[in-house]
């Protein structure tokens, strides 16, 4: 599975690289050379009268272990702290933008990760004059907080804090295709008030299924005037578009001390040691990569990752996180457009000495490494990126287009939606279509979001495959309105990894396991219904393997019923032979919908409508479990409506009673969804 901030991953914190002696020596050698080299490059760039910032060699600071954000606020003269709960990096990005804009309103801001802070100090924030805490919190899964916000969320639930005197505001990041839309933002906003805090501005709700950038801009444009009125302050009018990081170019770098794609610890991909997680992924060999589609122009891959001797363990229903690399051609194209030697080794160091995040990604590394491993160069750039690159643009028409799209006007928002979102332009496309725009690559590296891990539902059972993890992934490739071909970052990268036998070092991928709540019932005799068209079948393949294994061991196993759908039986009926074998040996009962094998299209939802008696027998009469995996926007929503209808009709309930019954199933983990938009 892969998707927006509701369901994806969190970025890591970078570790210091050089020791003090290394830094001192490096600074002494490079100070003059790197500085004057960079100044020479800047002379050929468009001038900027509106901004000024310092770029100079700097020693790499030590990672802070201080958890007192109150102390940091006091020592640095700040009054605004913006906390983020983020899985894909969007929440953190929005938090950074708010903290940065605070300068315009005499509220010097700081971004904070709640996982790294003593959140009980919120009770003491009132000691700082004009203090304000803002929370940019994403929801993912079934209304769950992000990993880094979990402890804070649980602390709020405990109800121990007296937050009277705390001024706050909340912006939630969610996706309306999910049933528990923005559940975390809504809860935190309500709970803070219950604990005595003062809501300075109304809750903001961002919808990643529509245009979360526009939602955020609309909210913050109304947020700042209210904040100014509340605290009795006025905007300074200062340009807040200042550089957050200082550049050092290492002209004579020690390549043994340069990052080449590691997430945190230097050489972690060569010198592997458990435990393996988001900051320390396991470099797994790909043992199998085979095509599942029989014919047609689409591709679906079955990939098996070797985890033997890794001490990694997974459970049926968990997710596999894969750290991909950007397409080499796209990376090279960016270097060509900006006339930059991508093998130049750089360090970007935070100008805010109080920040715990010293670098935007592991440094030092080459531009090529940053663009390949650390930066998202394929997504649609947000408006603040467009605003920042105006100064590097020479053609007045190009400048005006960027200025319009980065503005808050109705016309500007419409143009951004059409030219960036609907036309699906990434940063490379923008630079190709605006040839007079030549931003400094280090500035672009500062602005672009982090490349995130991609998540896939594991399609195997550890009881059957303890030493491998399987995933099922559709190769993403499509044409945009500008007649360009966009390719999925991870699936394109994985598709090229075809093991040729032996120890092929190229067929490896950094991975880790993310735990899931998508679980088989603890008692195997409980009957289950699984609904998963297309690659929604993935986790259910693991479920079926596990139930089959239990049967072979002579244990009692309840009914195992699968509803699967695809286009054509002869084309994309994935795992057909395997599923047929399970049907023949009595493990599985299967209903299959082939949408295009007849004149009238037939989908999984049609089969569910036809089998209401079976559905009620399992979930109503026998207290069985129901699972849904696949598209959240249409399929999962339609299934939910059908289930409520079945409960109402077959259970003899009112519409309200049926809805309550289904919600109780969800609370009891008898109705679970693993969906994406």
């Amino acid at each position: 599975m892969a998707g927006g901030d509701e369901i994806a991953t969190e970025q890591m914190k970078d570790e210091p690289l050089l020791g003090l002696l290394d830094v001192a020596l490096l600074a002494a050698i490079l100070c003059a050379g790197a500085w004057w080299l960079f100044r020479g490059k800047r002379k050929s760039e468009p001038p900027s009268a509106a901004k000024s910032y310092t770029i100079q060699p700097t020693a790499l600071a030590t990672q802070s272990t201080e958890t007192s954000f109150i102390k940091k606020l006091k020592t640095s003269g700040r009054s605004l702290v913006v906390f983020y709960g983020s899985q894909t990096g969007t929440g953190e990005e929005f938090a950074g933008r708010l903290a940065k804009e605070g300068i315009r309103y005499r509220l010097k801001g700081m971004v904070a990760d709640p996982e790294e802070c003593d959140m009980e100090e919120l009770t003491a924030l009132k000691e700082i004059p004009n203090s304000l805490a803002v929370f940019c919190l994403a929801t993912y899964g079934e209304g769950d907080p992000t990993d880094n916000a979990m402890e804070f969320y649980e602390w709020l639930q405990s109800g121990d804090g007296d937050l009277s005197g705390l001024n706050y505001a909340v912006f939630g990041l969610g996706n309306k295709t999910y049933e528990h839309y923005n559940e975390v933002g809504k809860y935190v906003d309500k709970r803070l008030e219950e604990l005595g805090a003062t809501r300075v501005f109304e809750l903001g709700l961002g919808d990643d299924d529509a245009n979360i950038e526009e939602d955020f801009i609309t909210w913050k444009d109304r947020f700042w005037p209210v904040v100014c009125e509340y605290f009795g302050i006025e905007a300074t009018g200062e340009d807040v578009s200042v550089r957050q990081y200082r550049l050092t170019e290492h002209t004579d770098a020690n390549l043994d001390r340069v990052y080449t794609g590691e997430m945190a610890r230097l050489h972690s991909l060569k010198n592997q040691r458990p435990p393996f997680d988001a900051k320390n992924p396991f470099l797994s060999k790909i043992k199998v990569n085979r095509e599942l589609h029989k014919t047609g122009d689409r591709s679906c891959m079955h990939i098996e990752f070797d985890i033997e001797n890794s001490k990694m363990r997974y459970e049926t229903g968990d997710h596999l996180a894969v750290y991909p690399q950007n397409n080499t051609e796209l990376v090279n194209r960016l270097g060509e457009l900006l006339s930059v030697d991508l093998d130049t080794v750089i360090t970007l160091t935070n100008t805010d000495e109080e920040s715990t995040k010293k670098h935007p990604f592991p440094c030092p590394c080459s531009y090529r490494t940053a663009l390949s491993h650390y930066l998202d160069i394929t997504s649609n750039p947000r408006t603040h990126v467009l605003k920042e690159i105006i100064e590097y643009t020479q053609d007045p028409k190009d400048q005006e287009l960027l200025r319009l799209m980065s503005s808050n006007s109705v016309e500007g928002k419409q143009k951004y939606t059409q030219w960036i979102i609907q036309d699906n332009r990434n940063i490379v496309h923008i630079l190709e279509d605006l040839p007079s725009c030549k931003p400094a690559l280090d500035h672009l590296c500062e602005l672009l979001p982090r490349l995130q891990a991609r998540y896939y539902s594991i399609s195997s059972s550890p009881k059957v495959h303890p030493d491998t993890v399987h995933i099922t992934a559709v190769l993403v490739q499509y044409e945009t309105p500008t007649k360009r071909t966009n390719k999925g970052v991870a699936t394109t990268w994985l598709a090229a990894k075809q093991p040729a036998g032996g120890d092929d070092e190229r067929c490896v991928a950094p991975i880790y396991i993310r735990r899931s709540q998508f679980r088989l019932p603890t008692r195997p005799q409980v009957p289950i219904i699984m609904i998963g068209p297309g690659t929604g079948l993935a986790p259910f393949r693991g479920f079926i393997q596990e139930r089959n294994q239990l049967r072979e061991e002579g244990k009692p196993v309840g009914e195992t019923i699968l509803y699967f759908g695809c286009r054509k039986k002869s084309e994309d009926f994935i795992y057909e032979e395997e599923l047929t074998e399970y049907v023949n040996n009595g493990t599985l009962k299967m209903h299959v919908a082939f949408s295009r094998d007849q004149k009238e299209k037939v989908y999984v939802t049609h089969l569910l409508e036809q089998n209401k008696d079976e559905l009620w027998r399992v979930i109503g009469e026998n207290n069985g479990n129901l699972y849904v995996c696949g598209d959240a926007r249409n399929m999962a929503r339609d299934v939910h409506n059908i289930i409520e209808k079945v409960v109402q009709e077959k259970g003899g309930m009112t519409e309200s009673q049926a809805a309550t019954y289904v919600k109780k199933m969800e609370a009891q983990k008898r109705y679970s969804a693993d969906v994406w938009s």
Side-chain angles (χ1 to χ4, degrees):
M1 57 182 290
D5 215 339
E6 290 216 0
I7 56 176
T9 185
E10 178 56 294
Q11 70 185 51
M12 33 63 74
K13 280 82 184 171
D14 305 323
E15 291 184 348
L17 176 60
L18 303 177
L20 293 177
L21 291 177
D22 296 323
V23 171
L25 179 60
L26 184 61
I29 295 174
L30 298 179
C31 185
W35 171 233
W36 287 107
L37 175 63
F38 184 81
R39 283 192 62 185
K41 288 187 177 183
R42 290 284 290 177
K43 289 179 181 179
S44 62
E45 295 171 353
S48 172
K51 304 179 187 178
S52 63
Y53 45 80
T54 303
I55 301 178
Q56 61 185 18
T58 180
L60 301 184
T62 303
Q63 183 77 27
S64 171
T65 57
E66 176 63 63
T67 61
S68 173
F69 68 87
I70 293 291
K71 181 178 179 181
K72 292 175 184 176
L73 289 171
K74 289 180 176 180
T75 57
S76 59
R78 302 165 200 256
S79 57
L80 169 66
V81 56
V82 189
F83 297 98
Y84 64 88
S86 184
Q87 288 293 120
T88 68
T90 306
E92 182 176 5
E93 176 194 324
F94 286 175
R97 289 163 67 177
L98 284 172
K100 195 173 182 180
E101 286 187 14
I103 299 173
R104 290 185 60 190
Y105 305 97
R106 306 183 192 278
L107 291 173
K108 190 177 180 184
M110 178 180 78
V111 179
D113 181 346
E115 190 175 36
E116 297 184 348
C117 296
D118 179 3
M119 296 303 287
E120 293 186 14
E121 286 193 333
L122 283 174
T123 60
L125 190 58
K126 59 187 175 183
E127 299 173 4
I128 299 176
N130 285 359
S131 61
L132 175 64
V134 182
F135 300 84
C136 294
L137 302 172
T139 299
Y140 84 98
E142 298 183 51
D144 303 317
T146 59
D147 295 341
N148 75 308
M150 180 64 74
E151 289 185 16
F152 168 56
Y153 194 80
E154 292 174 347
W155 176 72
L156 286 180
Q157 289 178 317
S158 72
D160 292 334
D162 176 12
L163 299 182
S164 56
L166 170 69
N167 300 310
Y168 78 93
V170 177
F171 182 82
L173 297 86
N175 189 308
K176 279 190 175 176
T177 60
Y178 291 77
E179 181 183 356
H180 303 281
Y181 172 60
N182 258 312
E183 191 74 25
V184 173
K186 293 174 182 176
Y187 173 79
V188 172
D189 180 66
K190 177 174 177 287
R191 187 61 179 149
L192 289 173
E193 183 180 46
E194 290 175 347
L195 295 175
T198 300
R199 183 188 296 106
V200 173
F201 187 61
E202 66 188 43
L203 169 67
L205 299 177
D207 180 15
D208 194 48
D209 186 53
N211 188 341
I212 199 168
E213 171 73 5
E214 183 173 335
D215 293 338
F216 175 67
I217 291 175
T218 301
W219 179 82
K220 74 179 181 67
D221 285 348
R222 293 187 295 115
F223 163 79
W224 285 119
V226 173
V227 169
C228 288
E229 182 179 357
Y230 183 84
F231 290 113
I233 55 181
E234 295 181 1
T236 64
E238 296 176 8
D239 188 350
V240 298
S241 185
V242 294
R243 293 293 299 271
Q244 184 178 355
Y245 295 93
R246 293 189 297 262
L247 170 71
T248 303
E249 290 188 348
H250 304 287
T251 56
D252 189 23
N254 179 356
L255 297 182
D256 289 335
R257 304 293 296 172
V258 173
Y259 283 86
T260 57
E262 301 91 335
M263 291 299 109
R265 177 173 58 87
L266 186 66
H267 302 317
S268 62
L269 296 178
K270 293 181 180 178
N271 303 321
Q272 296 254 275
R273 59 173 183 258
F276 297 106
D277 53 27
K279 298 179 183 179
N280 182 38
F282 176 64
L283 193 62
S284 171
K285 292 180 181 178
I286 294 176
K287 301 184 70 173
V288 175
N289 189 345
R290 61 183 173 88
E291 178 61 49
L292 290 174
H293 285 178
K294 302 176 181 68
T295 60
D297 56 1
R298 297 180 304 135
S299 172
C300 183
M301 300 171 287
H302 170 84
I303 305 175
E304 300 181 11
F305 297 85
D306 187 0
I307 59 171
E308 189 175 8
N309 301 321
S310 69
K311 297 185 178 180
M312 291 174 67
R313 299 290 182 267
Y314 71 97
E315 293 185 52
T316 308
D318 280 342
H319 301 140
L320 183 74
V322 179
Y323 279 112
Q325 292 180 32
N326 282 313
N327 184 276
T328 301
E329 293 180 3
L330 208 59
V331 171
N332 290 338
R333 179 61 176 151
L334 198 49
E336 292 171 5
L337 289 167
L338 300 180
S339 302
V340 173
D341 179 3
L342 295 181
D343 294 317
T344 302
V345 177
I346 65 164
T347 291
L348 292 177
T349 306
N350 203 324
T351 58
D352 180 2
E353 296 180 356
E354 296 295 327
S355 174
T356 57
K357 186 178 180 182
K358 299 305 178 184
H359 315 288
F361 44 76
C363 291
C365 69
S366 68
Y367 281 122
R368 187 181 307 280
T369 294
L371 296 173
S372 298
H373 295 271
Y374 301 138
L375 296 171
D376 184 349
I377 62 174
T378 62
S379 63
N380 306 134
R382 302 198 188 278
T383 55
H384 73 288
V385 177
L386 305 183
K387 183 178 181 180
E388 293 275 357
I389 63 177
I390 293 173
E391 68 162 307
Y392 301 100
T393 307
Q394 293 179 320
D395 189 316
K397 290 183 179 180
D398 292 348
Q399 288 180 348
E400 184 54 34
L401 176 60
L402 291 171
R403 190 171 289 110
L404 174 65
M405 291 190 296
S406 61
S407 72
N408 300 329
S409 67
V410 173
E411 182 186 0
K413 291 176 180 178
Q414 291 175 344
K415 189 64 176 178
Y416 173 82
T417 299
Q418 179 265 309
W419 205 79
I420 299 293
I421 304 299
Q422 295 177 358
D423 287 351
N424 216 330
R425 283 180 170 88
N426 59 40
I427 188 62
V428 176
H429 302 156
I430 291 170
L431 297 182
E432 287 177 338
D433 292 344
L434 303 180
S436 76
C437 183
K438 303 289 182 183
L441 186 51
D442 67 284
H443 197 172
L444 212 53
C445 288
E446 175 179 321
L447 295 170
L448 293 175
R450 284 293 300 271
L451 180 63
Q452 303 294 332
R454 269 47 175 182
Y455 284 87
Y456 300 92
S457 298
I458 293 177
S459 57
S460 57
S461 166
K463 294 186 184 302
V464 182
H465 301 283
D467 295 329
T468 57
V469 176
H470 304 180
I471 66 170
T472 307
V474 170
L475 180 63
V476 177
Q477 185 170 313
Y478 57 93
E479 185 178 271
T480 72
T482 64
K483 304 302 179 183
R484 294 178 168 99
T485 299
N486 278 4
K487 300 178 180 180
V489 176
T491 55
T492 301
W493 181 67
L494 288 170
K497 294 184 176 294
Q498 299 290 336
D503 294 327
D504 190 344
E505 294 184 358
R506 294 168 299 177
C507 284
V508 294
I511 64 171
Y512 66 93
I513 305 294
R514 185 178 75 175
R515 303 301 171 192
S516 169
Q517 300 299 316
F518 205 63
R519 291 281 184 263
L520 280 166
T522 54
R523 296 170 56 246
Q525 56 266 45
V526 173
I528 65 172
I529 291 177
M530 304 166 290
I531 305 166
T535 53
L537 172 62
F540 302 139
R541 179 175 181 261
F543 281 17
I544 298 165
Q545 285 180 356
E546 189 150 320
R547 305 270 279 198
N548 181 70
Q549 179 71 20
L550 292 171
R551 283 186 71 258
E552 291 182 348
E553 294 172 358
K555 297 178 181 178
V557 177
E559 276 190 287
T560 304
I561 303 171
L562 171 68
Y563 284 81
F564 173 72
C566 60
R567 293 185 180 185
K568 297 181 178 180
K569 186 178 189 296
S570 62
E571 181 177 304
D572 55 353
F573 188 177
I574 60 177
Y575 300 114
E576 178 183 4
E577 294 78 11
E578 187 177 322
L579 293 172
T580 301
E581 183 177 340
Y582 290 131
V583 171
N584 291 338
N585 71 15
T587 295
L588 180 67
K589 180 179 181 180
M590 181 167 59
H591 303 282
V592 184
F594 303 111
S595 63
R596 302 187 183 184
D597 272 351
Q598 59 283 315
K599 185 177 180 180
E600 296 293 330
K601 291 184 178 179
V602 178
Y603 296 108
V604 162
T605 47
H606 293 127
L607 301 184
L608 293 171
E609 291 274 12
Q610 295 169 12
N611 296 322
K612 292 179 180 178
D613 288 336
E614 178 181 78
L615 290 173
W616 178 246
R617 174 170 52 79
V618 172
I619 66 174
E621 297 174 359
N622 296 317
N623 291 316
N625 285 21
L626 187 141
Y627 303 89
V628 181
C629 183
D631 168 40
R633 182 179 290 107
N634 298 310
M635 185 276 297
R637 185 176 296 172
D638 291 342
V639 168
H640 186 89
N641 293 336
I642 291 171
I643 298 303
E644 286 195 351
K645 187 188 300 183
V646 168
V647 172
Q648 183 179 350
E649 293 179 4
K650 300 299 179 180
M653 303 182 194
T654 65
E655 184 177 342
S656 175
Q657 289 172 332
T660 301
Y661 185 92
V662 173
K663 285 190 176 298
K664 185 177 179 181
M665 285 182 63
E666 293 173 338
Q668 295 171 339
K669 302 298 182 183
R670 290 180 49 224
Y671 182 7
S672 302
D674 186 1
V675 295
W676 57 87
S677 59

